[in-house]
Amino acid sequence: MSYIRCHKCDQHAAMRMKHHRLNLCAEHYIEYIQKQTLRSIKKYRMFTHSERVLVAVSGGKDSLALWDVLLTLGYQADGFYIDLGIDEGLGYSSKSRMMAEQFAQSKGARLTVIDFAGEYGLTIGELAKRTRRGTDKPCSVCGIAKRHTMNAVTQRGDYDVIATGHNLDDEAAVLFSNTLRWDTDMMMRQSPVLEAHHGMPRKVKPFFRFYERETAAYALLRGIDYIQDECPFAEGSRTIELKHLLNQLEDQSAGSKLNFYMNYLKAQEQKFFNRDKDEATRANLNRCLQCGQPTTAEGLCGFCRLLAQSQR
Ligand code: AMP
Ligand code: FES
Ligand code: ZN
Ligand code: ZN
């Protein structure tokens, strides 16, 4: 019987990654995720082994997988869970809290649980209603409240950095949404690392290069129990709609999502909106030796190169 083999050891592949043209067995897949995470942490200077990391865990696959990877890599990583008191949808908060607590216990890791209502005197739903910012869905209020609570806990606990489980699907959807509105301020701010400012901790997203199915596969292969339900308010949200559209693109052309996001980061590094650079590049253009049109290349322009190749 023929089966798809691991590129490293020839055993049965547990995970196929079309966009990387890479198939791996369980053992090599786990190793791959851990190594790639380490690479992202180092490349983007997210944190070092001497810094204290606070992992924001939601009880879902991404953040628990992230905590698992950071502990395995030997980082000083404590967890932190905000009980938002969302008990619609068969007890979403209590279930996810239980997942976070179980994981911490199994690893002997430290988890701080913040009861939002206990801390601030009202639940997320009440806050949303009172501020009239979320009459039907508290999501935007919830986002602000989570961010605020995370900052407060990091400062209180003397942590250097806060790590969230945002994955490529999350990041690509945010970028897509910002691009559709050409919200350039928001676009410029989107990054795997946000440096500390005004007493706020540094924020990092070590899983930003992984597809959602990759973090799910890691959690599964590591035997991590996580909450599979989405927040009951997420249903029908704009983000989910955009994720769906990006998935359709991905189905037609593997790697679309990764290219969309990674090439944006590259564009950002190259100061995408910097006109001076554009003008300087234009001033330094060469002339194609064949057709005389302007080109950044030395020798032939892109088109003449193509023609030359076609005639070989
Ligand atoms: P979400 O905004 O639900 O997509 O979650 C993005 C990331 O925020 C997760 O991967 C977690 O790192 C963090 N997060 C979400 N919900 C919570 C929560 N209740 N407590 C702590 N961190 C959370
Ligand atoms: Fe905050 Fe859903 S997690 S509204
Ligand atoms: Zn293998
Ligand atoms: Zn405040």
Side-chain angles (χ1 to χ4, degrees), residues 94-257:
S94 9
K95 235 190 223 152
S96 52
R97 175 176 175 160
M98 202 172 75
M99 295 300 180
E101 285 174 341
Q102 268 176 12
F103 179 87
Q105 209 174 21
S106 73
K107 299 280 171 189
R110 188 194 305 186
L111 176 76
T112 304
V113 175
I114 302 279
D115 173 18
F116 187 83
E119 186 91 358
Y120 297 104
L122 75 185
T123 66
I124 287 289
E126 285 162 355
L127 181 65
K129 273 195 198 118
R130 285 199 209 166
T131 50
R132 289 185 297 159
R133 287 255 337 229
T135 27
D136 53 341
K137 278 176 189 280
C139 302
S140 74
V141 167
C142 177
I144 297 169
K146 276 197 276 199
R147 217 170 21 246
H148 177 89
T149 314
M150 284 183 201
N151 290 337
V153 175
T154 336
Q155 287 171 317
R156 227 183 281 162
D158 202 17
Y159 288 94
D160 300 293
V161 53
I162 187 156
T164 55
H166 291 96
N167 59 36
L168 179 65
D169 293 53
D170 299 324
E171 295 303 289
V174 171
L175 179 60
F176 193 13
S177 163
N178 290 337
T179 310
L180 287 174
R181 288 177 288 111
W182 277 105
D183 187 338
T184 49
D185 286 346
M186 288 296 284
M187 285 165 81
M188 292 308 275
R189 244 173 273 151
Q190 202 182 347
S191 166
V193 182
L194 292 176
E195 285 306 336
H197 65 97
H198 302 89
M200 297 294 119
R202 188 184 328 139
K203 289 187 185 142
V204 299
K205 300 168 184 169
F207 273 4
F208 74 98
R209 291 189 73 231
F210 296 140
Y211 283 78
E212 197 172 294
R213 66 182 276 272
E214 293 171 346
T215 59
Y218 179 87
L220 205 77
L221 294 171
R222 288 283 282 170
I224 298 170
D225 216 1
Y226 61 86
I227 181 161
Q228 298 195 10
D229 319 332
E230 289 269 2
C231 162
F233 295 112
E235 201 180 318
S237 75
R238 175 81 172 148
T239 310
I240 292 203
E241 223 173 79
L242 295 177
K243 282 185 175 174
H244 185 64
L245 287 170
L246 288 168
N247 283 341
Q248 286 180 331
L249 282 177
E250 185 73 28
D251 285 346
Q252 284 172 21
S253 170
S256 304
K257 244 184 270 185

Side-chain angles (χ1 to χ4, degrees), residues 229-289:
D229 319 332
E230 289 269 2
C231 162
F233 295 112
E235 201 180 318
S237 75
R238 175 81 172 148
T239 310
I240 292 203
E241 223 173 79
L242 295 177
K243 282 185 175 174
H244 185 64
L245 287 170
L246 288 168
N247 283 341
Q248 286 180 331
L249 282 177
E250 185 73 28
D251 285 346
Q252 284 172 21
S253 170
S256 304
K257 244 184 270 185
L258 192 64
N259 285 336
F260 177 54
Y261 187 65
M262 293 310 290
N263 286 336
Y264 173 69
L265 289 187
K266 231 188 260 170
Q268 218 183 27
E269 269 170 33
Q270 292 162 358
K271 307 255 183 311
F272 184 37
F273 296 110
N274 187 339
R275 290 264 173 128
D276 298 347
K277 185 162 180 274
D278 187 29
E279 273 162 26
T281 312
R282 227 176 304 160
N284 288 326
L285 288 178
N286 302 311
R287 283 195 178 278
C288 170
L289 295 178

